[in-house]
Each structure stands twice: as C-alpha cells, then as structure tokens.
Amino acid sequence: MSTTNYSEKFSDREIDRIIEMAWEDRTTFDAIEFQFCLKEQEVIELMRRQMKPSSFKMWRERVQGRATKHAAKRSFEKGTFKSTRQKQITHNKISKR
C-alpha cells in the first residue's frame, strides 16, 4: 500500500488513532487489524511514513519483541489491567474507599 492509499483510505483523525494505538503498550497489532484492517507490516509502514525518522526508530526499538503487542505472546488474559487503588466510578460519582 502506498502513502497516497493511506490518506485516501483513512482520515487524518483515523491515522492519528492508528499511531496512538501503535504507541500504546497494551494495544495489540491484532486490535489495530480488527479495527482498521491493517496488518502489522502495514502499521509499521504507516508509522514509517507518518513519523519523523528518529521517532519511528524509537518506536521500533520500543515495540520490537514486546510481548504485549502480540496477542499470542501475552501472558495475561484479554482485558485491561485495573489497579486495586483505582477509584470506582458509579452513577457519575466517585466512590470513596
């Protein structure tokens, strides 16, 4: 897929969201593929074309081999981590401990 195809296929807002998801440690490439139909290699290509070379290099070093970015390598179940110290939100009011 060429750079023009990314801008034709996705809005600027969607491209920003893909980049944001790619930077997030716990968002897998599978989740990006499910939501935007981009395989891991296509995400890498999009990141390469949308980011400054130094930022792309930093991202690649960060993501390379990171187990949380690949569903098959994850050591935890689906879902997000929630700290026991995180406050509960119920009916728009923050519950106190």
Side-chain angles (χ1 to χ4, degrees), residues 26-68:
R26 288 184 171 258
T27 302
T28 64
F29 287 114
D30 294 332
I32 296 170
E33 183 175 3
F34 178 78
Q35 190 168 347
F36 295 100
C37 299
L38 287 176
K39 296 187 182 305
E40 179 180 351
Q41 193 57 44
E42 293 170 317
V43 173
I44 293 168
E45 182 181 327
L46 181 140
M47 297 289 279
R48 179 179 282 121
R49 296 194 189 284
Q50 295 292 322
M51 299 172 71
K52 293 187 296 185
S54 60
S55 297
F56 174 75
K57 183 179 178 188
M58 183 177 13
W59 175 76
R60 282 300 288 155
E61 288 174 2
R62 179 182 172 88
V63 171
Q64 200 103 33
R66 185 174 288 269
T68 56

Side-chain angles (χ1 to χ4, degrees), residues 82-90 93-97:
K82 182 176 174 188
S83 171
T84 56
R85 300 189 62 172
Q86 184 175 345
K87 293 184 178 182
Q88 299 289 325
I89 298 176
T90 312
K93 293 182 180 178
I94 299 176
S95 302
K96 296 183 179 177
R97 288 192 234 177

